[in-house]
Amino acid sequence: MASAPLMRALRVGQLTIAALVSACRHYLNDQELTEKNPTFAILDTKIKRTAELAELLSKEMSSRSIPNEIVPSDAQVGGGTLPELTVKSHAVRLLPPDRSVKKRSQFAEEHYYCLLQSEIPVVGVLRDGYLCFDSLTLDENDIPTIIQALCRE
């Protein structure tokens, strides 16, 4: 080990190996994988459920006089190993008072950055000059947090 300091730095203990074994075992059973791994649980969300969540968020926004609409969405899974993968979903997008492209984009960006600075940061998606909340990663318990952050602006 003294002649190979990199090996010492990369040496793993029994706890690390046990955690890796446990995580890898989930991959042997699809049902267990979607139950135990949050990423795969989200990817397994049915389109009907994303529509239900979008409807809940939209209704709550409308009850607070926040103009919005539900739109179909292709949720991007991410970069890294899956840069091109998208999942069919629904999104709720904020409707700006002025829908000209420049004003719409400005409205979306201002709200996007304000929401990031909330006490509990809220992450939306800037898409086509609109601020959208994709329901694929939305949980019902998140809706009050989103509404509270939007109402503070």
Side-chain angles (χ1 to χ4, degrees):
M1 287 283 183
S3 63
L6 186 58
M7 288 300 291
R8 172 168 280 185
L10 297 177
R11 183 174 56 190
V12 296
Q14 290 179 342
L15 189 59
T16 303
I17 291 171
L20 286 170
V21 166
S22 176
C24 289
R25 279 196 181 126
H26 298 312
Y27 285 84
L28 298 175
N29 178 327
D30 287 346
Q31 180 68 29
E32 190 174 326
L33 182 61
T34 57
E35 288 173 3
K36 306 275 183 175
N37 185 311
T39 300
F40 283 94
I42 287 170
L43 292 175
D44 195 47
T45 302
K46 306 296 182 232
I47 190 78
K48 182 179 176 187
R49 181 65 181 150
T50 67
E52 292 168 357
L53 289 167
E55 186 64 34
L56 287 172
L57 179 58
S58 177
K59 281 183 180 177
E60 198 62 36
M61 286 178 164
S62 295
S63 75
R64 304 286 169 80
S65 300
I66 301 170
N68 70 86
E69 66 183 349
I70 298 173
V71 294
S73 174
D74 289 320
Q76 187 172 351
V77 173
T81 59
L82 303 170
E84 302 293 322
L85 182 62
T86 59
V87 176
K88 295 288 183 200
S89 179
H90 292 86
V92 178
R93 76 177 167 197
L94 291 181
L95 297 176
D98 183 342
R99 294 208 189 173
S100 69
V101 175
K102 185 176 179 180
K103 296 274 188 183
R104 183 181 74 207
S105 294
Q106 185 179 10
F107 173 87
E109 286 183 31
E110 286 174 3
H111 282 73
Y112 175 82
Y113 290 112
C114 283
L115 290 171
L116 286 177
Q117 295 173 4
S118 297
E119 184 177 327
I120 298 174
V122 174
V123 179
V125 178
L126 291 171
R127 189 178 293 148
D128 300 325
Y130 289 98
L131 176 58
C132 301
F133 301 96
D134 200 298
S135 61
L136 182 67
T137 57
L138 186 64
D139 185 270
E140 281 184 57
N141 298 325
D142 298 331
I143 293 174
T145 304
I146 294 168
I147 298 301
Q148 186 177 21
L150 285 169
C151 289
R152 275 196 211 146
E153 292 186 1

